[in-house]
């Protein structure tokens, strides 16, 4: 009995102690502690570094919000949105018709948000003498119809084709807009000997180390270790290098919007975060990481 009384007394003292430590107003009233809010953010590997920087900056301004960011590819993020396991799906391509239908079948109405823009840079090893290609030449290279660098003004070397994996939004965009040249009835595919790599960093490393390689990557991932090719829509030119200016002017032919998808009726914490992403402060981070800010 005595032991039970001691335990009860101990609990009462602990409760009184915790109550005395709680923050109070000048009038002595207890201040309610805000509950922590969690936002799950998943998807595009192109966007993942940008999303991480955004999350860090936002959490410094809003310590009560916890934002979890993971990659895995645009398809992975969109699938998680459809399954209802994330609040925000990052995508470097727009949702497909069948993905939207699958979401609606689950009672989820996807909402699209353009949060930045990007150029896809075509890259080769710095030792490769080729400096420029047309869209058609890039298409033929990736279809396996041009197989030697000498066919496009380079040395007598076999071409090694590199691509992101099929769950990547960059892979899908490159297939539809470069290999198929934006033609809806074009059914061209990547050559079967194309090497599929799981990350943007992997493509940079392989191009850096392989003098025969050609790859493509989001402009924000390009490093001085590789050479960026100027690209033209036709052989008549002009041949244009990717940059913030050439993306915004429309001069560079391989550029795209970057997206975040939420479901209609997302909570206020998600809405406030998305509003902040379009602020000058957040868009400055876009520029710092080599992407293109969304223009007002």
């Amino acid at each position: 009995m005595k032991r039970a009384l001691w335990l009860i007394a101990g609990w009462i003292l602990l409760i009184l102690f915790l109550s005395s430590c709680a923050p109070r107003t000048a009038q002595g009233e207890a201040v309610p502690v805000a509950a922590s809010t969690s936002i799950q953010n998943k998807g595009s590997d192109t966007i993942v570094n940008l999303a991480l920087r955004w999350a860090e900056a936002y959490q410094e301004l809003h310590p009560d919000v916890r934002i979890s960011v993971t990659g895995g590819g645009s398809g992975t993020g969109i699938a998680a949105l459809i399954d209802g396991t994330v609040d925000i799906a990052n995508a470097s391509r727009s949702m497909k018709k069948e993905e939207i239908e699958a979401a609606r079948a689950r009672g989820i109405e996807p909402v699209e948000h353009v949060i930045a823009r990007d150029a896809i840079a075509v890259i080769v090893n710095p030792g490769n003498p080729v400096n420029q290609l047309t869209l058609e030449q890039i298409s033929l290279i990736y279809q396996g119809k041009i197989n030697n660098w000498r066919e496009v003004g380079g040395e007598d070397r076999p071409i090694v084709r590199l691509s992101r994996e099929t769950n990547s939004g960059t892979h899908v965009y490159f297939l539809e807009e470069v290999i198929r040249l934006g033609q809806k009835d074009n059914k061209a595919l990547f050559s079967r000997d194309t090497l599929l790599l799981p990350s943007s960093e992997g493509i940079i490393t392989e191009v850096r180390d392989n003098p025969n390689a050609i790859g493509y990557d989001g402009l924000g991932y390009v490093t001085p270790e590789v050479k960026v090719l100027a690209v033209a829509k036709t052989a008549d030119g002009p041949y244009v290098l990717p940059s913030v200016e050439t993306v915004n002017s429309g001069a560079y032919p391989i550029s795209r919007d970057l997206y975040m998808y939420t479901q209609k009726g997302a909570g206020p914490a998600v809405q406030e975060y998305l509003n902040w992403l379009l602020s000058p402060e957040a868009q400055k981070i876009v520029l710092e990481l080599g992407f293109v800010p969304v223009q007002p």
Side-chain angles (χ1 to χ4, degrees), residues 60-84:
E60 287 181 6
L61 298 172
H62 303 272
D64 57 318
V65 178
R66 292 290 175 265
I67 304 173
S68 173
V69 178
T70 53
S74 299
T76 300
I78 290 170
L81 181 72
I82 294 169
D83 290 340

Side-chain angles (χ1 to χ4, degrees), residues 21 33 41 46 60 62 86 101 104 111 138 155 159 171 181 191 201 203 207 213 223 229-230 238 285-286 293:
C21 294
V33 178
N41 181 202
T46 296
E60 287 181 6
H62 303 272
V86 296
E101 291 173 351
R104 288 172 176 168
V111 180
I138 299 168
E155 297 175 345
I159 295 175
H171 172 104
L181 301 172
S191 173
E201 293 87 351
I203 288 182
V207 170
T223 70
L229 299 183
I285 297 173
V286 173

Side-chain angles (χ1 to χ4, degrees), residues 55-174:
E56 291 168 3
Y58 191 77
Q59 287 170 154
E60 287 181 6
L61 298 172
H62 303 272
D64 57 318
V65 178
R66 292 290 175 265
I67 304 173
S68 173
V69 178
T70 53
S74 299
T76 300
I78 290 170
L81 181 72
I82 294 169
D83 290 340
T85 58
V86 296
D87 301 292
I88 302 172
N90 298 334
S92 57
R93 61 169 176 83
S94 56
M95 284 185 72
K96 300 175 183 177
K97 181 181 178 182
E98 56 268 28
E99 291 171 332
I100 294 173
E101 291 173 351
R104 288 172 176 168
R106 295 284 190 95
I108 293 172
E109 182 65 33
V111 180
E112 181 181 282
H113 311 269
V114 177
I115 44 82
R117 294 192 174 94
D118 188 24
I120 295 180
V122 179
I123 55 176
V124 296
N125 185 275
N128 192 326
V130 173
N131 294 313
Q132 59 189 36
L133 292 171
T134 66
L135 283 175
E136 184 179 18
Q137 286 174 321
I138 299 168
S139 173
L140 293 174
I141 286 171
Y142 270 93
Q143 289 181 61
K145 295 180 179 180
I146 292 178
N147 295 293
N148 193 295
W149 282 112
R150 67 182 175 186
E151 297 177 66
V152 290
E155 297 175 345
D156 184 9
R157 290 175 174 270
I159 295 175
V160 176
R161 306 168 186 87
L162 307 176
S163 170
R164 289 295 313 282
E165 293 179 322
T166 56
N167 67 338
S168 160
T170 307
H171 172 104
V172 174
Y173 179 88
F174 196 84

Side-chain angles (χ1 to χ4, degrees), residues 23-31:
R24 295 180 178 276
T25 66
Q27 291 75 32
E29 298 174 349
V31 176

